[in-house]
Coordinates of all heavy atoms in Angstrom, one line a residue:
M1429 N 10.6 -12.3 -12.3 CA 9.5 -13.0 -11.8 C 8.7 -13.6 -13.0 O 8.4 -13.0 -14.0 CB 8.6 -12.1 -11.0 CG 7.4 -12.8 -10.5 SD 6.0 -11.7 -9.8 CE 6.9 -10.8 -8.6
A1430 N 8.5 -14.9 -12.8 CA 7.7 -15.6 -13.8 C 6.3 -15.2 -13.9 O 5.7 -14.7 -12.9 CB 7.7 -17.1 -13.6
T1431 N 5.7 -15.2 -15.0 CA 4.4 -14.7 -15.1 C 3.5 -15.9 -15.8 O 4.0 -16.8 -16.4 CB 4.2 -13.5 -16.1 OG1 4.7 -13.8 -17.4 CG2 4.9 -12.3 -15.5
R1432 N 2.2 -15.8 -15.6 CA 1.3 -16.8 -16.1 C 0.1 -16.0 -16.7 O -0.4 -15.2 -16.0 CB 0.9 -17.7 -15.0 CG -0.1 -18.8 -15.6 CD -0.8 -19.7 -14.6 NE 0.2 -20.1 -13.5 CZ -0.2 -20.7 -12.4 NH1 -1.5 -21.1 -12.3 NH2 0.6 -21.1 -11.5
K1433 N -0.3 -16.4 -17.8 CA -1.5 -15.8 -18.4 C -2.7 -16.5 -17.9 O -2.9 -17.7 -17.8 CB -1.4 -16.0 -20.0 CG -2.5 -15.3 -20.7 CD -2.3 -15.4 -22.3 CE -3.4 -14.6 -22.9 NZ -3.2 -14.6 -24.4
I1434 N -3.7 -15.7 -17.4 CA -4.9 -16.2 -16.9 C -6.1 -15.4 -17.6 O -5.8 -14.4 -18.2 CB -5.0 -16.1 -15.4 CG1 -5.0 -14.5 -15.0 CG2 -3.9 -16.9 -14.7 CD1 -5.3 -14.3 -13.5
T1435 N -7.2 -15.9 -17.4 CA -8.5 -15.2 -17.9 C -9.3 -14.7 -16.7 O -9.5 -15.5 -15.8 CB -9.3 -16.1 -18.8 OG1 -8.5 -16.6 -19.8 CG2 -10.5 -15.4 -19.3
I1436 N -9.6 -13.4 -16.7 CA -10.5 -12.9 -15.6 C -11.6 -12.2 -16.3 O -11.6 -11.8 -17.4 CB -9.7 -11.9 -14.7 CG1 -9.2 -10.7 -15.5 CG2 -8.6 -12.6 -14.0 CD1 -8.6 -9.6 -14.7
T1437 N -12.7 -12.0 -15.5 CA -13.9 -11.3 -15.9 C -13.9 -10.0 -15.2 O -13.9 -10.0 -14.0 CB -15.1 -12.1 -15.7 OG1 -15.0 -13.4 -16.5 CG2 -16.3 -11.4 -16.2
V1438 N -13.9 -8.9 -15.9 CA -13.9 -7.6 -15.3 C -15.1 -6.8 -15.9 O -15.3 -6.9 -17.2 CB -12.6 -6.9 -15.6 CG1 -12.5 -5.5 -15.0 CG2 -11.4 -7.7 -15.1
P1439 N -15.8 -6.0 -15.2 CA -16.9 -5.2 -15.9 C -16.3 -4.3 -16.9 O -15.2 -3.7 -16.8 CB -17.4 -4.3 -14.6 CG -17.0 -5.1 -13.4 CD -15.7 -5.8 -13.8
E1440 N -17.0 -4.2 -18.1 CA -16.5 -3.4 -19.2 C -16.2 -2.0 -18.8 O -15.2 -1.4 -19.3 CB -17.6 -3.5 -20.3 CG -17.1 -2.8 -21.6 CD -18.2 -3.0 -22.7 OE1 -18.9 -4.0 -22.7 OE2 -18.2 -2.2 -23.6
E1441 N -16.9 -1.3 -18.0 CA -16.7 0.0 -17.6 C -15.4 0.2 -16.9 O -14.6 1.2 -17.1 CB -17.8 0.7 -16.7 CG -19.2 0.4 -17.2 CD -19.8 -0.9 -16.8 OE1 -19.6 -1.4 -15.7 OE2 -20.3 -1.5 -17.8
L1442 N -15.0 -0.8 -16.1 CA -13.7 -0.8 -15.4 C -12.6 -0.9 -16.4 O -11.6 -0.2 -16.3 CB -13.7 -1.9 -14.4 CG -12.4 -2.0 -13.5 CD1 -12.1 -0.6 -12.8 CD2 -12.5 -3.1 -12.6
V1443 N -12.7 -1.8 -17.4 CA -11.7 -2.0 -18.3 C -11.4 -0.6 -19.1 O -10.3 -0.2 -19.3 CB -12.0 -3.1 -19.3 CG1 -11.0 -3.2 -20.4 CG2 -12.0 -4.4 -18.6
E1444 N -12.5 0.0 -19.5 CA -12.4 1.2 -20.3 C -11.8 2.3 -19.4 O -11.0 3.1 -19.9 CB -13.8 1.7 -20.8 CG -14.4 0.7 -21.8 CD -13.4 0.5 -23.0 OE1 -12.8 1.5 -23.5 OE2 -13.3 -0.7 -23.4
S1445 N -12.1 2.4 -18.2 CA -11.5 3.4 -17.2 C -10.0 3.2 -17.1 O -9.3 4.0 -17.2 CB -12.2 3.3 -15.9 OG -11.7 4.2 -15.0
I1446 N -9.6 1.9 -16.9 CA -8.2 1.5 -16.9 C -7.5 1.9 -18.1 O -6.4 2.5 -18.1 CB -8.1 0.0 -16.6 CG1 -8.6 -0.3 -15.1 CG2 -6.6 -0.4 -16.7 CD1 -8.7 -1.8 -14.8
K1447 N -8.0 1.6 -19.3 CA -7.4 1.9 -20.6 C -7.2 3.4 -20.7 O -6.2 3.8 -21.4 CB -8.2 1.4 -21.7 CG -8.2 -0.2 -21.9 CD -9.0 -0.6 -23.1 CE -8.8 -2.0 -23.4 NZ -9.6 -2.5 -24.6
E1448 N -8.1 4.2 -20.1 CA -7.9 5.7 -20.2 C -6.6 6.1 -19.5 O -6.1 7.3 -19.8 CB -9.1 6.4 -19.7 CG -10.4 6.2 -20.6 CD -11.6 6.8 -20.0 OE1 -11.6 7.4 -18.9 OE2 -12.6 6.6 -20.7
R1449 N -6.2 5.5 -18.5 CA -5.1 5.9 -17.7 C -3.8 5.1 -17.7 O -2.8 5.6 -17.1 CB -5.6 6.1 -16.2 CG -6.0 4.9 -15.5 CD -6.5 5.1 -14.2 NE -7.5 6.3 -14.1 CZ -8.7 6.2 -14.2 NH1 -9.3 5.1 -14.6 NH2 -9.5 7.3 -14.1
V1450 N -3.7 4.0 -18.4 CA -2.5 3.2 -18.4 C -1.5 3.8 -19.3 O -1.8 4.5 -20.3 CB -2.7 1.7 -18.7 CG1 -3.6 1.0 -17.7 CG2 -3.4 1.6 -20.1
D1451 N -0.2 3.5 -18.9 CA 0.9 3.9 -19.8 C 1.5 2.6 -20.5 O 0.6 1.7 -20.8 CB 2.0 4.6 -19.0 CG 2.5 3.7 -17.8 OD1 2.2 2.5 -17.8 OD2 3.1 4.3 -16.9
A1452 N 2.7 2.5 -20.6 CA 3.3 1.3 -21.3 C 3.0 0.0 -20.6 O 3.1 -1.0 -21.3 CB 4.8 1.6 -21.5
R1453 N 2.7 0.0 -19.4 CA 2.4 -1.2 -18.6 C 1.2 -1.9 -19.2 O 1.1 -3.1 -19.2 CB 2.2 -1.0 -17.1 CG 3.3 -0.3 -16.4 CD 2.9 -0.1 -14.9 NE 1.8 0.8 -15.0 CZ 0.9 0.9 -13.9 NH1 1.0 0.1 -12.9 NH2 -0.1 1.8 -13.9
G1454 N 0.3 -1.1 -19.7 CA -0.9 -1.7 -20.2 C -1.9 -2.2 -19.2 O -1.6 -2.1 -18.0
V1455 N -3.0 -2.8 -19.6 CA -4.0 -3.2 -18.7 C -3.5 -4.3 -17.8 O -3.8 -4.4 -16.6 CB -5.3 -3.6 -19.6 CG1 -6.4 -4.3 -18.6 CG2 -5.9 -2.4 -20.3
S1456 N -2.8 -5.3 -18.5 CA -2.3 -6.4 -17.6 C -1.4 -5.9 -16.5 O -1.5 -6.4 -15.3 CB -1.5 -7.4 -18.5 OG -2.3 -8.0 -19.4
G1457 N -0.5 -5.0 -16.7 CA 0.4 -4.5 -15.7 C -0.5 -3.7 -14.6 O -0.1 -3.8 -13.4
Y1458 N -1.4 -3.0 -15.0 CA -2.3 -2.3 -14.1 C -3.0 -3.2 -13.2 O -3.0 -3.1 -12.0 CB -3.3 -1.4 -14.9 CG -4.1 -0.5 -14.1 CD1 -3.7 0.8 -13.9 CD2 -5.2 -0.9 -13.4 CE1 -4.5 1.7 -13.2 CE2 -6.0 0.0 -12.7 CZ -5.6 1.4 -12.6 OH -6.4 2.2 -11.9
I1459 N -3.6 -4.3 -13.8 CA -4.3 -5.2 -13.0 C -3.4 -6.1 -12.0 O -3.7 -6.4 -10.9 CB -5.3 -6.1 -13.8 CG1 -6.4 -5.2 -14.4 CG2 -5.9 -7.3 -13.1 CD1 -7.3 -5.9 -15.4
A1460 N -2.2 -6.4 -12.6 CA -1.3 -7.2 -11.8 C -0.8 -6.4 -10.5 O -0.7 -6.8 -9.5 CB -0.1 -7.5 -12.7
A1461 N -0.6 -5.0 -10.8 CA -0.3 -4.1 -9.7 C -1.4 -4.0 -8.6 O -1.1 -4.1 -7.4 CB 0.1 -2.8 -10.2
A1462 N -2.6 -4.0 -9.1 CA -3.7 -3.9 -8.2 C -3.8 -5.2 -7.4 O -4.1 -5.2 -6.2 CB -5.0 -3.7 -9.0
A1463 N -3.7 -6.4 -8.1 CA -3.8 -7.6 -7.3 C -2.6 -7.8 -6.4 O -2.8 -8.3 -5.3 CB -3.7 -8.8 -8.4
A1464 N -1.4 -7.3 -6.7 CA -0.3 -7.4 -5.8 C -0.6 -6.5 -4.5 O -0.2 -6.9 -3.4 CB 1.0 -6.9 -6.4
H1465 N -1.1 -5.3 -4.8 CA -1.5 -4.4 -3.7 C -2.5 -5.1 -2.7 O -2.3 -5.2 -1.5 CB -2.0 -3.1 -4.2 CG -2.5 -2.2 -3.1 ND1 -1.7 -1.5 -2.3 CD2 -3.8 -2.0 -2.7 CE1 -2.4 -0.8 -1.4 NE2 -3.7 -1.1 -1.6
Q1466 N -3.5 -5.7 -3.3 CA -4.5 -6.4 -2.6 C -4.0 -7.5 -1.7 O -4.3 -7.7 -0.6 CB -5.7 -6.9 -3.4 CG -6.9 -7.5 -2.6 CD -7.5 -6.5 -1.7 OE1 -7.9 -5.4 -2.1 NE2 -7.6 -6.9 -0.4
D1467 N -3.1 -8.3 -2.4 CA -2.4 -9.4 -1.7 C -1.6 -8.9 -0.5 O -1.6 -9.5 0.6 CB -1.5 -10.2 -2.7 CG -0.8 -11.3 -2.1 OD1 -1.5 -12.3 -1.6 OD2 0.4 -11.4 -2.0
A1468 N -0.9 -7.8 -0.7 CA -0.1 -7.2 0.4 C -1.0 -6.8 1.6 O -0.7 -7.0 2.7 CB 0.7 -6.1 -0.1
M1469 N -2.1 -6.2 1.2 CA -3.0 -5.8 2.2 C -3.7 -6.9 2.9 O -3.8 -6.9 4.2 CB -4.2 -4.9 1.6 CG -3.7 -3.6 1.0 SD -3.0 -2.4 2.3 CE -1.2 -2.7 2.1
D1470 N -4.0 -8.0 2.2 CA -4.5 -9.2 2.9 C -3.5 -9.8 3.8 O -3.8 -10.2 4.9 CB -4.9 -10.2 1.8 CG -6.2 -9.8 1.0 OD1 -6.9 -8.9 1.4 OD2 -6.3 -10.5 0.0
R1471 N -2.2 -9.9 3.4 CA -1.2 -10.4 4.2 C -1.0 -9.5 5.5 O -0.8 -10.1 6.6 CB 0.1 -10.6 3.5 CG 0.1 -11.6 2.4 CD 1.4 -11.6 1.5 NE 1.3 -12.5 0.5 CZ 1.9 -13.7 0.6 NH1 2.5 -14.1 1.7 NH2 1.8 -14.6 -0.4
L1472 N -1.0 -8.2 5.4 CA -0.9 -7.3 6.4 C -2.0 -7.5 7.4 O -1.8 -7.6 8.6 CB -0.8 -5.9 6.0 CG -0.6 -4.8 7.0 CD1 0.8 -5.1 7.8 CD2 -0.5 -3.5 6.3
R1473 N -3.2 -7.6 6.9 CA -4.4 -7.9 7.8 C -4.3 -9.2 8.6 O -4.5 -9.3 9.8 CB -5.7 -7.9 7.0 CG -7.0 -8.0 7.8 CD -8.2 -7.9 7.0 NE -8.3 -6.8 6.0 CZ -8.0 -6.8 4.7 NH1 -7.8 -8.0 4.1 NH2 -8.1 -5.7 4.0
E1474 N -3.8 -10.2 7.9 CA -3.6 -11.6 8.5 C -2.5 -11.4 9.7 O -2.7 -12.0 10.8 CB -3.2 -12.6 7.5 CG -4.2 -13.0 6.6 CD -3.7 -13.8 5.3 OE1 -2.5 -14.0 5.3 OE2 -4.5 -14.1 4.5
L1475 N -1.5 -10.6 9.4 CA -0.4 -10.4 10.4 C -1.0 -9.7 11.6 O -0.7 -10.0 12.7 CB 0.7 -9.7 9.8 CG 1.9 -9.3 10.8 CD1 2.5 -10.4 11.5 CD2 2.9 -8.4 10.1
A1476 N -1.8 -8.6 11.3 CA -2.3 -7.8 12.4 C -3.3 -8.7 13.3 O -3.3 -8.6 14.5 CB -3.1 -6.6 11.8
E1477 N -4.0 -9.6 12.6 CA -4.9 -10.5 13.4 C -4.1 -11.4 14.2 O -4.5 -11.6 15.4 CB -5.8 -11.3 12.4 CG -6.9 -10.4 11.7 CD -7.6 -11.1 10.6 OE1 -7.3 -12.2 10.3 OE2 -8.5 -10.4 10.1
R1478 N -3.0 -12.0 13.7 CA -2.2 -12.9 14.5 C -1.6 -12.1 15.7 O -1.5 -12.7 16.8 CB -1.1 -13.5 13.6 CG -1.6 -14.6 12.8 CD -0.5 -15.5 12.2 NE 0.6 -14.7 11.6 CZ 0.6 -14.5 10.2 NH1 -0.3 -15.0 9.5 NH2 1.6 -13.8 9.7
L1479 N -1.1 -11.0 15.4 CA -0.5 -10.2 16.5 C -1.5 -9.8 17.6 O -1.1 -9.9 18.8 CB 0.2 -9.0 15.9 CG 1.5 -9.2 15.1 CD1 1.9 -7.8 14.4 CD2 2.6 -9.7 16.0
E1480 N -2.7 -9.5 17.1 CA -3.7 -9.2 18.1 C -4.1 -10.4 19.0 O -4.3 -10.3 20.2 CB -5.0 -8.6 17.4 CG -6.0 -8.1 18.4 CD -7.1 -7.3 17.7 OE1 -6.8 -6.4 16.8 OE2 -8.3 -7.6 18.0
E1481 N -4.2 -11.5 18.4 CA -4.5 -12.8 19.1 C -3.4 -13.0 20.1 O -3.7 -13.4 21.2 CB -4.6 -14.0 18.1 CG -5.9 -14.0 17.3 CD -5.9 -15.1 16.3 OE1 -5.0 -16.0 16.4 OE2 -6.7 -15.1 15.4
E1482 N -2.1 -12.8 19.7 CA -1.0 -13.1 20.6 C -0.8 -12.0 21.7 O -0.5 -12.4 22.8 CB 0.3 -13.2 19.8 CG 1.5 -13.6 20.6 CD 2.7 -13.9 19.7 OE1 2.5 -14.2 18.5 OE2 3.8 -13.8 20.3
H1483 N -1.0 -10.7 21.3 CA -0.6 -9.7 22.2 C -1.8 -8.9 22.7 O -1.6 -7.9 23.5 CB 0.5 -8.8 21.6 CG 1.7 -9.5 21.2 ND1 2.6 -9.9 22.2 CD2 2.2 -9.9 20.0 CE1 3.6 -10.5 21.6 NE2 3.4 -10.5 20.2
G1484 N -2.9 -9.1 22.2 CA -4.1 -8.2 22.6 C -4.2 -7.1 21.6 O -3.3 -6.7 20.8
A1485 N -5.4 -6.4 21.7 CA -5.7 -5.2 20.8 C -4.8 -4.1 21.1 O -4.4 -3.9 22.3 CB -7.2 -4.9 20.9
V1486 N -4.5 -3.3 20.1 CA -3.7 -2.0 20.3 C -4.7 -1.0 21.0 O -5.8 -0.9 20.5 CB -3.2 -1.5 19.0 CG1 -2.5 -0.2 19.2 CG2 -2.3 -2.5 18.3
T1487 N -4.2 -0.4 22.0 CA -5.1 0.7 22.7 C -5.0 1.9 21.9 O -4.2 2.1 21.0 CB -4.6 1.0 24.1 OG1 -3.2 1.6 23.9 CG2 -4.4 -0.3 24.9
D1488 N -6.0 2.8 22.1 CA -6.0 4.1 21.4 C -4.7 4.9 21.7 O -4.2 5.5 20.8 CB -7.2 5.0 21.9 CG -8.6 4.4 21.4 OD1 -8.5 3.6 20.4 OD2 -9.6 4.7 21.9
D1489 N -4.2 4.8 23.0 CA -3.0 5.5 23.3 C -1.8 5.0 22.6 O -1.0 5.7 22.1 CB -2.7 5.4 24.8 CG -3.7 6.3 25.7 OD1 -4.4 7.2 25.1 OD2 -3.8 6.1 26.9
E1490 N -1.8 3.7 22.4 CA -0.6 3.1 21.6 C -0.7 3.5 20.1 O 0.3 3.7 19.5 CB -0.7 1.6 21.8 CG -0.3 1.0 23.2 CD -0.7 -0.4 23.3 OE1 -1.6 -1.0 22.8 OE2 0.1 -1.1 24.2
Q1491 N -2.0 3.5 19.6 CA -2.1 3.9 18.2 C -1.7 5.3 18.0 O -1.0 5.7 17.1 CB -3.5 3.7 17.8 CG -3.7 4.0 16.4 CD -5.2 3.6 15.8 OE1 -6.0 3.2 16.6 NE2 -5.4 3.9 14.6
Q1492 N -2.1 6.2 18.9 CA -1.8 7.7 18.8 C -0.3 7.8 19.0 O 0.4 8.6 18.3 CB -2.4 8.5 19.8 CG -2.3 10.0 19.6 CD -2.8 10.4 18.3 OE1 -3.9 10.2 17.9 NE2 -1.9 11.1 17.5
A1493 N 0.4 7.1 19.8 CA 1.8 7.1 20.0 C 2.5 6.7 18.7 O 3.5 7.4 18.4 CB 2.3 6.3 21.2
A1494 N 2.0 5.7 18.0 CA 2.6 5.2 16.8 C 2.5 6.3 15.7 O 3.4 6.6 15.0 CB 2.0 3.9 16.3
L1495 N 1.3 6.9 15.6 CA 1.0 7.9 14.7 C 1.9 9.1 14.9 O 2.3 9.8 13.9 CB -0.5 8.4 14.7 CG -1.5 7.3 14.2 CD1 -2.9 7.7 14.4 CD2 -1.2 6.9 12.7
D1496 N 2.0 9.5 16.2 CA 2.9 10.6 16.5 C 4.4 10.3 16.1 O 5.0 11.2 15.6 CB 2.9 10.9 18.0 CG 1.5 11.5 18.5 OD1 0.7 11.9 17.6 OD2 1.3 11.4 19.7
R1497 N 4.8 9.1 16.3 CA 6.1 8.8 15.9 C 6.3 8.8 14.4 O 7.4 9.3 13.9 CB 6.5 7.3 16.4 CG 7.8 6.9 16.1 CD 8.9 7.6 16.9 NE 10.2 7.1 16.6 CZ 11.3 7.9 16.3 NH1 11.1 9.2 16.3 NH2 12.4 7.3 16.0
I1498 N 5.3 8.4 13.7 CA 5.4 8.5 12.2 C 5.5 9.9 11.8 O 6.2 10.2 10.9 CB 4.2 7.7 11.6 CG1 4.3 6.2 11.8 CG2 4.1 8.1 10.1 CD1 3.0 5.4 11.5
A1499 N 4.6 10.7 12.4 CA 4.6 12.2 12.0 C 6.0 12.8 12.3 O 6.5 13.6 11.5 CB 3.6 12.9 12.8
A1500 N 6.7 12.4 13.4 CA 8.0 12.9 13.7 C 9.0 12.5 12.8 O 9.8 13.3 12.3 CB 8.3 12.5 15.2
I1501 N 8.9 11.2 12.3 CA 9.8 10.7 11.3 C 9.7 11.4 10.0 O 10.6 11.8 9.3 CB 9.7 9.2 11.2 CG1 10.2 8.5 12.4 CG2 10.4 8.7 9.9 CD1 9.8 7.0 12.5
D1502 N 8.4 11.6 9.6 CA 8.1 12.3 8.4 C 8.6 13.8 8.4 O 9.2 14.3 7.4 CB 6.6 12.5 8.1 CG 6.0 11.1 7.6 OD1 6.8 10.2 7.2 OD2 4.7 11.0 7.7
G1503 N 8.5 14.4 9.6 CA 9.0 15.8 9.8 C 10.5 15.8 9.6 O 11.1 16.7 9.0
W1504 N 11.2 14.8 10.2 CA 12.6 14.7 10.2 C 13.1 14.6 8.7 O 14.0 15.2 8.2 CB 13.1 13.6 11.0 CG 14.6 13.5 11.0 CD1 15.5 14.1 11.7 CD2 15.4 12.6 10.1 NE1 16.8 13.8 11.4 CE2 16.8 12.8 10.4 CE3 15.1 11.7 9.1 CZ2 17.8 12.2 9.8 CZ3 16.2 11.1 8.4 CH2 17.4 11.3 8.8
H1505 N 12.4 13.7 7.9 CA 12.7 13.5 6.5 C 12.5 14.8 5.7 O 13.3 15.1 4.9 CB 11.9 12.3 5.9 CG 12.5 11.0 6.3 ND1 13.5 10.5 5.7 CD2 12.1 10.1 7.2 CE1 13.8 9.3 6.2 NE2 13.0 9.0 7.1
D1506 N 11.4 15.5 6.0 CA 11.1 16.7 5.3 C 12.2 17.7 5.5 O 12.7 18.4 4.6 CB 9.8 17.3 5.7 CG 8.6 16.5 5.2 OD1 8.8 15.6 4.3 OD2 7.5 16.7 5.8
E1507 N 12.7 17.8 6.8 CA 13.8 18.7 7.1 C 15.1 18.3 6.4 O 15.7 19.2 5.9 CB 14.0 18.6 8.7 CG 15.0 19.7 9.1 CD 15.1 19.7 10.6 OE1 14.1 19.5 11.3 OE2 16.3 19.7 11.1
Q1508 N 15.3 17.0 6.4 CA 16.5 16.5 5.6 C 16.5 16.9 4.1 O 17.5 17.4 3.6 CB 16.8 15.1 5.8 CG 17.0 14.7 7.2 CD 18.2 15.3 7.9 OE1 19.3 15.2 7.3 NE2 18.0 15.9 9.0
D1509 N 15.3 16.7 3.6 CA 15.1 17.1 2.1 C 15.3 18.6 1.9 O 16.0 19.0 1.0 CB 13.7 16.7 1.7 CG 13.6 15.1 1.5 OD1 14.6 14.4 1.5 OD2 12.4 14.7 1.4
S1510 N 14.7 19.4 2.8 CA 14.8 20.9 2.7 C 16.3 21.3 2.8 O 16.8 22.1 2.0 CB 14.1 21.6 3.7 OG 12.7 21.4 3.5
Q1511 N 17.1 20.7 3.7 CA 18.5 21.0 3.9 C 19.3 20.6 2.7 O 20.2 21.3 2.2 CB 19.0 20.4 5.1 CG 18.5 21.0 6.4 CD 19.0 20.3 7.7 OE1 19.7 19.3 7.6 NE2 18.5 20.8 8.8
A1512 N 19.0 19.5 2.1 CA 19.6 18.9 0.9 C 19.4 19.9 -0.3 O 20.3 20.2 -1.1 CB 19.2 17.5 0.6
E1513 N 18.1 20.3 -0.4 CA 17.8 21.2 -1.5 C 18.5 22.6 -1.4 O 19.0 23.2 -2.3 CB 16.3 21.4 -1.6 CG 15.6 20.2 -2.1 CD 14.1 20.4 -2.0 OE1 13.6 21.5 -1.7 OE2 13.3 19.4 -2.3
E1514 N 18.7 23.1 -0.1 CA 19.2 24.4 0.2 C 20.8 24.2 -0.2 O 21.4 25.2 -0.6 CB 19.0 24.8 1.6 CG 17.7 25.2 1.9 CD 17.4 25.5 3.3 OE1 18.3 25.5 4.1 OE2 16.2 25.8 3.7
A1515 N 21.4 23.1 0.1 CA 22.8 22.9 -0.1 C 23.1 22.7 -1.5 O 24.2 22.9 -2.0 CB 23.2 21.6 0.7
A1516 N 22.2 22.3 -2.3 CA 22.4 22.0 -3.7 C 22.5 23.2 -4.6 O 22.3 24.4 -4.4 CB 21.3 21.2 -4.3

């Protein structure tokens, strides 16, 4: 992926906090990852808004059903991991 150098203004305390925890990626990599995450969240929010406009709001029951399905999938993956560790 091509990169471009830009100038941003960040509070000094934030820069120092980032410098305390970065590895080889450095401050630029850390901030690029944060910006990419925010961009993904913004795009997801835009998608959710479009879907809600087209299909209506998700009901509490639908949301709970989705969370239950995610929990079931997580449980299945945990079980697969345990079985793989036992077999190793």
Side-chain angles (χ1 to χ4, degrees):
M1429 176 189 306
T1431 61
R1432 181 187 321 173
K1433 187 174 183 173
I1434 63 170
T1435 301
I1436 62 170
T1437 302
V1438 181
E1440 188 172 332
E1441 309 82 44
L1442 179 58
V1443 174
E1444 293 308 315
S1445 178
I1446 292 169
K1447 284 182 176 182
E1448 291 173 2
R1449 61 184 43 88
V1450 295
D1451 56 13
R1453 300 176 300 157
V1455 174
S1456 291
Y1458 188 96
I1459 291 175
H1465 175 78
Q1466 185 62 50
D1467 182 60
M1469 294 298 98
D1470 291 345
R1471 289 171 182 266
L1472 185 57
R1473 187 176 307 103
E1474 291 166 2
L1475 174 60
E1477 289 169 358
R1478 282 196 308 266
L1479 290 172
E1480 188 170 311
E1481 286 175 12
E1482 185 174 336
H1483 301 286
V1486 175
T1487 66
D1488 290 342
D1489 288 343
E1490 291 169 329
Q1491 183 175 2
Q1492 188 58 54
L1495 293 172
D1496 292 345
R1497 181 70 178 131
I1498 291 169
I1501 292 168
D1502 284 345
W1504 182 85
H1505 280 283
D1506 291 346
E1507 185 178 319
Q1508 297 300 309
D1509 288 345
S1510 293
Q1511 290 175 359
E1513 288 175 6
E1514 290 173 5

